[in-house]
Amino acid sequence: MYSEKVMDHFQHPRNMGEIENASGVGTVGNAKCGDIMRIFLDIDDNGIIQDVKFKTFGCGAAVATSSMATELVKGKSVQEAMQVTNKAVMEALDGLPPVKVHCSLLAEEAIHAALWDYAQKNGIEIEGLEKPKSDIHEGEEDEEEEY
Ligand code: FES
């Protein structure tokens, strides 16, 4: 049910880890499955993404899409990274089963959240970028209220 590329990126994820003092960090979660994805971006003065890392607490498809998404944005400009949609990530992975499409959405949202963080920190605007809806900031996950 999974393409070879999905299996490859799941078993050998690229760019896993974190970046200290990252230019932008984005964390998003999917309320339904509870999976969480965090993307770290290292962006130079020319707005080029020099490095990118991810951490995913989620399903195999989430790991594979984060891995592919990091590969797609690395070395790109901030504006080019905006073109890395979940569709682009899925195409690069030779598709995902329909029930797993939402996992690729998490990758797109995490990149956008990290770009948003970068833009906020630098007081700039990135064309077409909107404030992330599901960005979870550390310490704001109010778990106690649920019980
Ligand atoms: Fe939740 Fe895949 S099942 S991200």
Side-chain angles (χ1 to χ4, degrees), residues 30 32-37 58-62 99-100 102-104 106:
N30 182 298
K32 275 200 188 133
C33 61
D35 292 347
I36 294 175
M37 194 181 289
C59 71
V99 293
K100 289 288 171 186
H102 77 273
C103 317
S104 65
L106 219 48

Side-chain angles (χ1 to χ4, degrees), residues 90-107:
M90 278 199 296
E91 267 164 32
L93 285 169
D94 292 337
L96 276 176
V99 293
K100 289 288 171 186
V101 171
H102 77 273
C103 317
S104 65
L105 219 57
L106 219 48

